[in-house]
Amino acid sequence: AIFSAGLTAIMYLTCEKILIGEASIGDLVLVNGLLFQLSIPLNFIGSVYREVKQCFIDMEAMYKLRDTKPRLVEREGALDYEPTSDGGTNMTFSNIEFAYPVPEA
């Protein structure tokens, strides 16, 4: 929107110069061509800026997540789970319940 407003303004000013005889139609074409040649690199720079800004936002969220303390922690003396060792590790689950939360109406 900003670039379009600038393009419109400079084209209007060039048209005024043509009407008073200080510029030719070729000058209008020149100004138009130069501005369109500027638009592509400016658009690319804007895209890179947006990507970098989003990366910083994502990094901040990642660091917040990394600093989150777990609600469940291992108790002292807990055995390591080693399923690939020769004897393996036996686990027994008892009195386990699971249910999806039901939203209140």
Side-chain angles (χ1 to χ4, degrees), residues 2-3 7 18 26-27 35 42-43 49 72 104:
I2 294 172
F3 186 80
L7 177 64
I18 291 171
D27 293 331
L35 287 175
L42 289 175
N43 189 19
Y49 172 75
L72 298 174
E104 296 180 21

Side-chain angles (χ1 to χ4, degrees), residues 39-85:
S39 68
I40 304 231
L42 289 175
N43 189 19
F44 176 72
I45 291 170
S47 298
V48 170
Y49 172 75
R50 281 189 299 275
E51 289 293 324
V52 169
K53 186 176 174 184
Q54 187 62 44
C55 286
F56 281 120
I57 291 170
D58 292 343
M59 282 177 32
E60 184 179 347
M62 181 185 66
Y63 285 127
K64 282 183 183 177
L65 182 62
R66 185 191 67 176
D67 294 338
T68 302
K69 302 291 182 216
R71 293 188 309 186
L72 298 174
V73 293
E74 290 185 6
R75 67 177 175 194
E76 193 131 342
L79 298 174
D80 288 335
Y81 178 60
E82 298 177 15
T84 58
S85 67

